[in-house]
Amino acid sequence: MRRILVIGGGYAGFYTAWKLEKKLRRDEAEVVVVDPRPYMTYQPFLPEVVAGSIEARHAAVSLRRNLPRTKLVAGMVNNIAHADRTVTIRPAQGPDFTMTYDILVVTAGAVTRTFDVPGVADRAIGMKHVEEAVAIRDRVLTAFDEAACLPPGRDRSRLLTFTFVGGGFSGVEGFAELMSLAQALVKHYPELSADDLAFHLVEATARILPEVTEKPGRWVVRMLERRGAHVHLATTMDSAEDGHVVLSDGTEFDSELVVWTAGNAATRLLRNYTDLPHTPRGLVQVRADLRIGTDAEIVPDAWSAGDDAAVPDLASSAPGGFTVPNAQNAVRQGKRLAKNLVRALRGREPKNYVHHSFGAIATLGLGKGIFQYRGFVIKGLLAWLMHRGYHLLAIPTWDRKVRVLAVWLVAFLYGRDIVSLASVQSPREAFRAEAKANALGSARSA
């Protein structure tokens, strides 16, 4: 059988493999997915994980459970030699090894784009994975516990100052949901008040949420500012060393939590370790039918989709543009890629990928949201309900739909769970401390 190797188990990779399982005959091809994580992250739910509105595991879709006919390899591809039809894989344990394939599907996704800002590598945390969203939530909850024991002053202010860098959908949604969580927590801490909290959103351009038009974007800024946020537009972060944030507009403050969501970049694999053609930005050069190559030349047996692919946007009126790297496109590209690959295997011509946007929708905290489709805009509670309804339908598998809905219903009746589990990041600390104390006690007795 031919081996179809899928690099990456994110949106595009998961949906490609999922659809291939349904469309391929059992003796037609073997599908292999290589990814260091055993799950697909449903990224639109990460802001709600930050806010404690859903459980972390409910934003993760198990690859093994939902891809039973696919061979899964827990590792990271660190070199592609398509001329030889081989990849080099670095597993979680053991030495690197090579794997051959007949057909390659590159859906490696993108990584968080960072800049050489002092302190960011040491202090900031991203928001692309479930683990990061959980860590952000636990840091907020832990900060409240610690601040409640301190008198008013610089240390308390630092703990209760939260900073997001990046005004795209991921940044704004995460920022708004964190604000909602923090402001709801105050009532459980009589030692603290809403005046102790500070929220900063830093965006390098003159507006946030580029997916919506300028007027709704301004409304979001005003709404966030009315809730107590400081929105710094046309501003960059110059430094975050030791938690002391310095902005290009002259603002300085101490912040315990810095979340970096300032855009995406191609992975190092695609920029440096492949013989596949790519754009100056490092994205794989892709045709409209999702085969790798150009209109003039096709790379045989090579396909790509998702955030790491420069896919021509045939639905746009502006020529030469590429599809936006978002969930809508990644999911639909994965489905189209699977269909096209099966068509190619059976001697038929693949079809072009064309997708007209369903609009942009965002959660802005509990009970608040915004939706825009062309010139039609909905704000507030209705948009928030639409956001939840859309993503409840969009998340794959009934297992996840039911679990998410159940958590929402419980939260509606009893509120968010406000227990911090930050200690799970160092689970042996308590045991190690007790063992050390026992050893010291035994030594003194002797």
Side-chain angles (χ1 to χ4, degrees):
M1 288 194 299
R2 293 185 179 184
R3 173 179 288 169
I4 301 171
L5 180 66
V6 181
I7 299 176
Y11 276 120
F14 173 81
Y15 277 94
T16 297
W18 205 25
K19 290 299 179 182
L20 285 174
E21 282 197 359
K22 296 179 180 180
K23 294 183 175 298
L24 289 171
R25 296 186 297 270
R26 287 186 177 272
D27 61 348
E28 195 168 9
E30 174 194 28
V31 181
V32 179
V33 172
V34 182
D35 195 284
R37 289 180 171 83
Y39 58 82
M40 181 204 80
T41 301
Y42 191 74
Q43 291 186 350
F45 276 159
L46 293 187
E48 297 217 33
V49 173
V50 168
S53 297
I54 66 172
E55 291 297 322
R57 282 187 173 86
H58 299 168
V61 179
S62 170
L63 298 181
R64 291 196 176 276
R65 180 169 184 169
N66 296 288
L67 299 175
R69 292 172 50 197
T70 297
K71 179 179 179 181
L72 300 174
V73 178
M76 180 175 292
V77 173
N78 56 25
N79 188 70
I80 301 173
H82 188 66
D84 301 325
R85 300 295 196 274
T86 63
V87 296
T88 304
I89 299 174
R90 176 163 296 164
Q93 298 289 336
D96 294 3
F97 63 93
T98 60
M99 178 178 286
T100 60
Y101 61 85
D102 299 289
I103 299 171
L104 181 67
V105 177
V106 181
T107 54
V111 295
T112 301
R113 181 179 60 184
T114 58
F115 304 95
D116 190 19
V117 179
V120 165
D122 299 323
R123 301 288 306 187
I125 184 171
M127 207 178 75
K128 287 186 70 69
H129 304 292
V130 173
E131 301 92 336
E132 293 172 323
V134 172
I136 293 169
R137 176 174 178 268
D138 285 341
R139 284 194 189 183
V140 173
L141 296 173
T142 301
F144 269 77
D145 289 332
E146 294 174 352
C149 298
L150 296 174
R154 182 173 180 176
D155 289 339
R156 177 192 276 191
S157 297
R158 174 181 57 81
L159 286 168
L160 298 178
T161 299
F162 310 105
T163 307
F164 272 65
V165 181
F169 257 66
S170 178
V172 171
E173 288 188 308
F175 179 74
E177 288 288 349
L178 184 145
M179 284 186 65
S180 180
L181 170 64
Q183 290 168 342
L185 281 174
V186 171
K187 65 182 180 182
H188 299 288
Y189 291 84
E191 307 89 345
L192 306 175
S193 71
D195 294 335
D196 293 317
L197 306 178
F199 308 94
H200 294 268
L201 177 63
V202 182
E203 167 54 37
T205 67
R207 52 172 298 194
I208 62 173
L209 295 179
E211 294 87 348
V212 303
T213 53
E214 187 172 351
K215 187 175 180 181
R218 290 199 303 268
W219 175 84
V220 174
V221 171
R222 292 195 301 270
M223 187 271 293
L224 292 174
E225 290 177 336
R226 285 197 301 269
R227 290 165 57 190
H230 303 277
V231 181
H232 305 268
L233 298 178
T235 304
T236 58
M237 178 180 285
D238 291 341
S239 175
E241 286 189 294
D242 299 322
H244 183 70
V245 175
V246 180
L247 304 181
S248 62
D249 63 0
T251 305
E252 295 189 31
F253 53 89
D254 292 329
S255 181
E256 175 67 14
L257 177 66
V258 177
V259 181
W260 188 274
T261 63
N264 296 323
T267 65
R268 289 187 297 273
L269 168 69
L270 302 178
R271 294 196 303 264
N272 304 314
Y273 303 104
T274 176
D275 55 357
L276 297 172
H278 53 77
T279 68
R281 290 180 53 205
L283 302 176
V284 181
Q285 186 69 55
V286 178
R287 294 160 44 91
D289 59 12
L290 303 180
R291 287 183 288 186
I292 295 176
T294 64
D295 290 338
E297 184 177 1
I298 300 173
V299 178
D301 301 321
W303 306 73
S304 186
D307 292 355
D308 63 4
V311 181
D313 188 358
L314 301 185
S316 173
S317 57
F322 300 112
T323 57
V324 178
N326 60 20
Q328 280 191 39
N329 281 313
V331 170
R332 286 159 183 80
Q333 287 172 9
K335 293 178 179 180
R336 169 48 56 193
L337 194 158
K339 293 176 182 177
N340 280 354
L341 205 162
V342 173
R343 291 175 67 91
L345 284 173
R346 297 172 183 172
R348 302 168 63 191
E349 281 296 311
K351 296 182 178 180
N352 287 341
Y353 171 76
V354 183
H355 171 62
H356 297 274
S357 174
F358 295 154
I361 191 165
T363 175
L364 300 172
L366 197 63
K368 304 174 183 67
I370 187 168
F371 167 77
Q372 181 174 16
Y373 178 70
R374 297 182 180 176
F376 181 64
V377 179
I378 299 176
K379 306 170 185 174
L381 178 62
L382 179 57
W384 178 77
L385 291 172
M386 291 171 62
H387 177 274
R388 285 203 161 183
Y390 171 78
H391 286 297
L392 185 65
L393 294 174
I395 190 170
T397 78
W398 280 102
D399 163 57
R400 284 296 174 262
K401 297 179 197 295
V402 172
R403 290 177 188 271
V404 169
L405 181 60
V407 172
W408 281 343
L409 293 175
V410 171
F412 177 77
L413 295 174
Y414 300 106
R416 297 183 178 100
D417 194 329
I418 61 170
V419 176
S420 171
L421 294 177
S423 58
V424 301
Q425 297 170 35
S426 53
R428 295 189 64 251
E429 190 61 36
F431 178 83
R432 189 162 45 237
E434 188 64 26
K436 184 176 180 180
N438 288 337
L440 287 174
S442 299
R444 287 172 181 170
S445 298

